[in-house]
Amino acid sequence: MPIVELHVLEGYGPEDKRRLGEALTDAVRFVVPAPPEAITVMIHEMPTEDYYRGRTQRSGAPALPDPKELVHSYLAAMEARDLPAATAMLGEGFVMQFPGAAPMTELQELIDWAAPRYRFVTKTYEGFDAMQSEGAPALVYCRGTLAGEWPHGTAFEGIRFIDRFEVNGGKITRQDVWNDIAEVKGKA
Amino acid sequence: MPIVELHVLEGYGPEDKRRLGEALTDAVRFVVPAPPEAITVMIHEMPTEDYYRGRTQRSGAPALPDPKELVHSYLAAMEARDLPAATAMLGEGFVMQFPGAAPMTELQELIDWAAPRYRFVTKTYEGFDAMQSEGAPALVYCRGTLAGEWPHGTAFEGIRFIDRFEVNGGKITRQDVWNDIAEVKGKA
Amino acid sequence: MPIVELHVLEGYGPEDKRRLGEALTDAVRFVVPAPPEAITVMIHEMPTEDYYRGRTQRSGAPALPDPKELVHSYLAAMEARDLPAATAMLGEGFVMQFPGAAPMTELQELIDWAAPRYRFVTKTYEGFDAMQSEGAPALVYCRGTLAGEWPHGTAFEGIRFIDRFEVNGGKITRQDVWNDIAEVKGKA
Amino acid sequence: MPIVELHVLEGYGPEDKRRLGEALTDAVRFVVPAPPEAITVMIHEMPTEDYYRGRTQRSGAPALPDPKELVHSYLAAMEARDLPAATAMLGEGFVMQFPGAAPMTELQELIDWAAPRYRFVTKTYEGFDAMQSEGAPALVYCRGTLAGEWPHGTAFEGIRFIDRFEVNGGKITRQDVWNDIAEVKGKA
Amino acid sequence: MPIVELHVLEGYGPEDKRRLGEALTDAVRFVVPAPPEAITVMIHEMPTEDYYRGRTQRSGAPALPDPKELVHSYLAAMEARDLPAATAMLGEGFVMQFPGAAPMTELQELIDWAAPRYRFVTKTYEGFDAMQSEGAPALVYCRGTLAGEWPHGTAFEGIRFIDRFEVNGGKITRQDVWNDIAEVKGKA
Amino acid sequence: MPIVELHVLEGYGPEDKRRLGEALTDAVRFVVPAPPEAITVMIHEMPTEDYYRGRTQRSGAPALPDPKELVHSYLAAMEARDLPAATAMLGEGFVMQFPGAAPMTELQELIDWAAPRYRFVTKTYEGFDAMQSEGAPALVYCRGTLAGEWPHGTAFEGIRFIDRFEVNGGKITRQDVWNDIAEVKGKA
């Protein structure tokens, strides 16, 4: 039953609009207990010549990339150890916080730090949650389980993890990681 | 510059509207790189007699409680070991997943499981992130550090943690916990 | 999925709005094959001081009475032979056209004309259909069956009839009647 | 002075919009005593990619045909005894009710039933009234006079009739007929 | 036929709205050659709790006084030589430019300068034109004729004048005067 | 913070819309003390087939020319003594009122009247103010200083002037002129 109308300068593509349609629907559902089918979103695009603020025309900025996809690509690049690709997705001031490690700022640091800990690791995803924070960054949470090999060659799998990413202007600026590796190792 | 108009049946309080105003603003910011000051939200409340769907009047449902506040209260009750208060905030099918533990469904189970692990624990919060998921539940992420005493009486502090909550219809239905306790213990 | 918004000067009551909500829904359904549940109507009332045409405030006119109810009341008054009440519902230039009769303009004419035809007649309604015509009058169609007694005392029932009314400014200005009385009498 | 805004998915042609413009104007006039010139209708078409319900895009259904034109074509086909054309306009469960006849469901039945009653009949129309009913069908009323020849060859004309049609999804599903044929025959 | 909708925070009185209704109508008429009767203005007032910019509520500022009335009062005070009242209507940086005089900033200067020119002067107004300039000030033009007495006691009348005022934040900040006094005197 | 929406039939060009955007912004600023940057104007163009008044489509009239530009062109033509061009810009009933002259209706009259007063005159503009009056005409005020040569060949400059124009349907119908020529001459 709630109806949302968005007036926005033209220039957004179908995928941007789909994301707007979903995000606006979910914003209403966050407060109003209406079933999704009862929530309508209408996007009204304005040609530049039809929109004035302060007596002057304004032009719209291109849409931000989907932060969920950005994080997905970043994690895939890291799993493939494609550091140049992964680095290209990082923004100024990037920091990583892994369990039991000091904050790191370079991906090579991470590789070096991980070397004595596991030979390799792959991620099975259970879910991604993404949202705009109150502040500048968009947030992406990604969780699931880790599989891989310990340094001595034994395989492991099913170890729970969760990552929290901050994305600013289409670049990853912070990654926080929690997992049960120590829990599992401690038991082993 | 984007303008959002929400038409909704009357009956929402100032606090509900504030949450709607914020969530709708952030939904736009998730896709459109406009500064917050350039995003306007107008909420148009409709008296019941002015709104018809399918030829009939509809009435609005009361707002959902703020899931962030719910989780905050729940965590406070747990820290105070006020199980009745905490239990009252749980919904049907509630499940907890803690590091290294099998899934638990009763708070007493958790208390028993934790007993040999630490005497007590308190949380210092670094931040809460809340959003509506694509599905039914609202999600609340809460992160920060743990302090407390190990069973043998030594104090600990600064141990990173993150909790993920699913909230359905104003009740907590799932809690997933990750932290560095094993990491810290393993080093000790 | 279609959404209708009506902006109208304030002063309409809940019943007027209900009629507007229904009529606007049906206007859409007349062209768009959407189920009623998918059609939303929002009525926005404007205080006089918020509405200007030609630089000047305008005030709204009171709603027209429901022509369906008017016709219902008129037929009840006629059945009860309450001519003063029925006459009060007639507008200037009122004309009646009954099967096999010349046009009549006075209710007493009708009573006199009917006298040799039946002792009395009552109506069982199957349905009323009402709409605004393209021109000034609203139209009400009313159909069902007649029961009563022939002049010689025999009872009759189940004789099909239909009446068409024109209603102008809340008054009946024309009544056209068709029925199967002659058909039934001819067979008798 | 009332202003109607219709938001509808794009895909409606100029003729569909004209019918919407008229029907919405008349819906307002049914309740609000404003002269037609004071009623404005604005139709806002939404591209599919700009409209979301329940987080998903919806597409509009093609407009329903004008039931007035459908009935007009049907009556013309019947007058021309073009049964295949007329039959093609009938929907499932079609029923006809003529004065003094049992309900009929096949056009050939009607032809057979009419044969001993008149050689042929043509209609002169005085007016068509069409509207959406509260339920599924659109309604068309058509009235005027009949002319033709009785079985023995005498001509007749000026006999009042009215037909009521129910139209469902662009097909005629019910026809009810009243006229003064028996009245006229009885007098003859 | 053009329709203007203004969304504004609540708090404006009937007189403010009347001025908005007129100014918005005239803004359209300045470009679109529609008769005033064809231009509709709807003012939608928003309660503070229903309006958000940048995620936060905003409150509306009180309406600016009508600059036409301000100038009218100022001219009346000057004619009555009520300098305190007139001075109270002047804003910071006030400047007057009269024909043949250097710019003046104090009303007493004007009185002194005028003393040898005329004993007194009264104004008959032919019209006031007021508008918002592109910049900060509102502008008021006032024109008509002057009557009064020359220093030697002869009466004069019908001398054309025009004044241009700049009004900032409800205070007069500039007055430019043109008139035919020299023309008339030169001929005398 | 105020938001203006204009619904208008399509057919207006970018320049017309810019003028509408500015005039509507200034109309709001005339009453509401909001900074221009806080005022948004959205122009919604309606295709003819989407707009109905009184059940019928309407078509929009072409925009009025900018009266400021018209006056500018007229004054340039007069300065260049291009009477045919200037005359083409005059509307029916045109009247001019110059200081110390009887009202004139023909440009040649003005030329003749001015001949003994100055050899030529050029204008330096300080500003143009334009607005729609409450009545039919748009108003343009133009002010600045005059330079030129007296009949005996002496140069003059810096003489203040102001012109007021009434523009009806794109033609100048009235010009009122005030200046300090007599003041300056009187002193000379």
Side-chain angles (χ1 to χ4, degrees), chain C residues 1-9 12 16-17 19-20 22-34 36-38 51 53 58-68 97-101 113 117 126 129-139 141-144 160-162 164 166 174 176-184 187, chain D residues 1-9 12 16-17 19-20 22-34 36-38 51 53 58-68 97-101 113 117 126 129-139 141-144 160-162 164 166 174 176-184 187:
Chain C
M1 135 205 88
I3 295 168
V4 181
E5 296 185 75
L6 172 65
H7 306 270
V8 74
L9 279 164
Y12 295 92
D16 304 327
K17 289 176 178 174
R19 287 175 59 214
L20 281 166
E22 291 176 4
L24 288 166
T25 305
D26 291 345
V28 174
R29 294 172 62 223
F30 189 61
V31 179
V32 176
E37 300 74 47
Y51 182 91
R53 197 155 61 82
R58 306 284 169 141
S59 41
L64 292 165
D66 187 340
K68 211 183 273 191
Q97 177 68 62
F98 277 69
W113 172 82
R117 290 164 193 262
E126 269 174 32
D129 300 318
M131 85 185 89
Q132 175 62 38
S133 78
E134 194 174 329
L139 307 177
Y141 283 96
C142 147
R143 64 191 202 289
R160 295 162 65 247
F161 79 92
I162 189 164
R164 179 183 187 271
E166 298 191 358
R174 181 171 183 91
D176 290 278
V177 176
W178 295 259
N179 58 47
D180 289 352
I181 288 182
E183 186 73 33
V184 170
K187 288 194 174 158
Chain D
M1 134 208 90
I3 294 169
V4 181
E5 296 186 77
L6 172 65
H7 305 271
V8 74
L9 279 164
Y12 294 93
D16 305 327
K17 289 176 178 174
R19 287 175 60 214
L20 281 165
E22 291 177 5
L24 288 165
T25 305
D26 292 345
V28 173
R29 295 172 60 223
F30 188 61
V31 179
V32 175
E37 300 73 48
Y51 182 90
R53 198 156 60 81
R58 306 284 169 142
S59 42
L64 292 165
D66 187 340
K68 210 182 274 191
Q97 177 70 60
F98 277 70
W113 172 82
R117 288 162 193 266
E126 270 174 32
D129 300 319
M131 86 184 88
Q132 176 61 38
S133 78
E134 194 173 329
L139 306 177
Y141 283 96
C142 147
R143 64 191 202 288
R160 294 162 65 247
F161 80 91
I162 188 164
R164 179 184 187 270
E166 298 190 358
R174 181 170 183 92
D176 290 278
V177 176
W178 295 259
N179 58 47
D180 289 351
I181 287 183
E183 186 73 34
V184 170
K187 288 196 174 157

Side-chain angles (χ1 to χ4, degrees), chain E residues 1-9 12 16 19-20 23-24 26-33 38 51 53 58-68 97-101 117 129-136 138-139 141 143 160-162 164 166 176-180 182-183 187, chain F residues 1-9 12 16 19-20 23-24 26-33 38 51 53 58-68 97-101 117 129-136 138-139 141 143 160-162 164 166 176-180 182-183 187:
Chain E
M1 141 203 86
I3 295 168
V4 181
E5 296 185 75
L6 172 66
H7 306 270
V8 74
L9 279 164
Y12 295 93
D16 304 327
R19 287 175 60 214
L20 282 165
L24 288 165
D26 292 345
V28 174
R29 295 171 63 222
F30 188 60
V31 179
V32 176
Y51 183 91
R53 198 155 61 81
R58 307 285 170 140
S59 42
L64 293 165
D66 188 342
K68 211 183 271 191
Q97 176 69 61
F98 276 69
R117 291 165 192 264
D129 301 318
M131 84 185 91
Q132 175 62 37
S133 78
E134 193 174 331
L139 306 177
Y141 283 96
R143 64 193 201 286
R160 294 161 66 247
F161 79 93
I162 188 164
R164 180 184 185 270
E166 298 191 359
D176 288 278
V177 175
W178 295 259
N179 57 47
D180 289 352
E183 185 73 36
K187 288 194 175 159
Chain F
M1 137 204 87
I3 295 169
V4 181
E5 295 186 77
L6 172 65
H7 306 270
V8 75
L9 278 164
Y12 295 93
D16 305 326
R19 287 175 59 216
L20 281 165
L24 289 165
D26 291 345
V28 173
R29 294 172 62 223
F30 188 61
V31 180
V32 175
Y51 182 91
R53 197 155 60 84
R58 308 283 169 142
S59 42
L64 292 166
D66 187 341
K68 209 183 274 191
Q97 176 69 60
F98 277 70
R117 289 162 193 265
D129 300 318
M131 84 184 89
Q132 176 61 38
S133 79
E134 193 173 331
L139 306 177
Y141 282 96
R143 64 191 202 287
R160 293 162 66 249
F161 79 93
I162 187 163
R164 180 184 186 269
E166 298 191 358
D176 289 277
V177 176
W178 294 259
N179 58 47
D180 290 351
E183 185 74 35
K187 290 194 173 159

Side-chain angles (χ1 to χ4, degrees), chain F residues 35-51:
Chain F
E37 300 74 47
I39 302 173
T40 301
V41 173
M42 295 189 285
I43 300 175
H44 305 295
E45 281 192 299
M46 309 286 308
T48 317
E49 72 181 46
D50 292 346
Y51 182 91

Side-chain angles (χ1 to χ4, degrees), chain F residues 129-168:
Chain F
D129 300 318
M131 84 184 89
Q132 176 61 38
S133 79
E134 193 173 331
L139 306 177
V140 180
Y141 282 96
C142 147
R143 64 191 202 287
T145 55
L146 306 172
E149 272 182 27
W150 299 125
H152 41 84
T154 335
F156 61 87
E157 63 173 1
I159 300 182
R160 293 162 66 249
F161 79 93
I162 187 163
D163 287 9
R164 180 184 186 269
F165 292 89
E166 298 191 358
V167 177
N168 261 294

Side-chain angles (χ1 to χ4, degrees), chain A residues 29 31 64 129 135 141 160 177, chain B residues 29 64 129 135 141 160 177:
Chain A
R29 295 171 62 222
V31 179
L64 293 166
D129 300 318
Y141 282 96
R160 293 161 67 248
V177 176
Chain B
R29 295 172 61 222
L64 292 165
D129 300 318
Y141 282 97
R160 293 161 66 247
V177 175

Side-chain angles (χ1 to χ4, degrees), chain A residues 1 3 5 7 9 19 29-31 33 51 62 64 100 129 131-133 135 139 141 160 164 177 187, chain B residues 1 3 5 7 9 19 29-31 33 51 62 64 100 129 131-133 135 139 141 160 164 177 182 187:
Chain A
M1 135 206 89
I3 294 169
E5 295 186 77
H7 305 270
L9 278 165
R19 287 174 60 213
R29 295 171 62 222
F30 189 61
V31 179
Y51 182 91
L64 293 166
D129 300 318
M131 84 185 90
Q132 175 62 38
S133 78
L139 305 177
Y141 282 96
R160 293 161 67 248
R164 180 183 186 271
V177 176
K187 289 195 173 158
Chain B
M1 141 202 86
I3 294 168
E5 295 185 76
H7 305 271
L9 279 164
R19 286 175 59 215
R29 295 172 61 222
F30 189 60
V31 179
Y51 183 91
L64 292 165
D129 300 318
M131 84 184 90
Q132 175 61 39
S133 79
L139 306 177
Y141 282 97
R160 293 161 66 247
R164 180 184 186 269
V177 175
K187 289 193 173 160

Side-chain angles (χ1 to χ4, degrees), chain A residues 1-9 12 16-17 19-20 22-34 36-38 51 53 58-68 97-101 113 117 126 128-139 141-144 160-162 164 166 174 176-184 187, chain B residues 1-9 12 16-17 19-20 22-34 36-38 51 53 58-68 97-101 113 117 126 128-139 141-144 160-162 164 166 174 176-184 187:
Chain A
M1 135 206 89
I3 294 169
V4 181
E5 295 186 77
L6 172 66
H7 305 270
V8 73
L9 278 165
Y12 295 93
D16 304 327
K17 290 176 178 174
R19 287 174 60 213
L20 281 166
E22 292 177 4
L24 288 165
T25 304
D26 292 345
V28 174
R29 295 171 62 222
F30 189 61
V31 179
V32 176
E37 300 73 47
Y51 182 91
R53 197 155 61 82
R58 306 285 170 141
S59 42
L64 293 166
D66 188 340
K68 210 184 272 191
Q97 176 69 60
F98 277 69
W113 172 81
R117 290 165 191 263
E126 269 174 34
F128 282 76
D129 300 318
M131 84 185 90
Q132 175 62 38
S133 78
E134 193 173 330
L139 305 177
Y141 282 96
C142 145
R143 64 192 201 286
R160 293 161 67 248
F161 79 92
I162 189 165
R164 180 183 186 271
E166 298 191 358
R174 179 170 185 93
D176 289 278
V177 176
W178 295 259
N179 58 47
D180 289 351
I181 287 183
E183 185 74 36
V184 170
K187 289 195 173 158
Chain B
M1 141 202 86
I3 294 168
V4 181
E5 295 185 76
L6 172 66
H7 305 271
V8 74
L9 279 164
Y12 295 93
D16 304 327
K17 290 176 178 173
R19 286 175 59 215
L20 282 166
E22 291 177 3
L24 288 165
T25 304
D26 291 346
V28 174
R29 295 172 61 222
F30 189 60
V31 179
V32 175
E37 300 74 47
Y51 183 91
R53 197 155 61 83
R58 307 283 168 142
S59 42
L64 292 165
D66 188 341
K68 210 183 273 192
Q97 177 68 61
F98 277 70
W113 172 82
R117 291 164 192 264
E126 269 174 32
F128 282 75
D129 300 318
M131 84 184 90
Q132 175 61 39
S133 79
E134 193 173 330
L139 306 177
Y141 282 97
C142 146
R143 63 192 202 288
R160 293 161 66 247
F161 79 92
I162 188 164
R164 180 184 186 269
E166 298 191 358
R174 180 170 184 94
D176 289 278
V177 175
W178 294 260
N179 58 47
D180 289 351
I181 287 183
E183 186 75 34
V184 170
K187 289 193 173 160

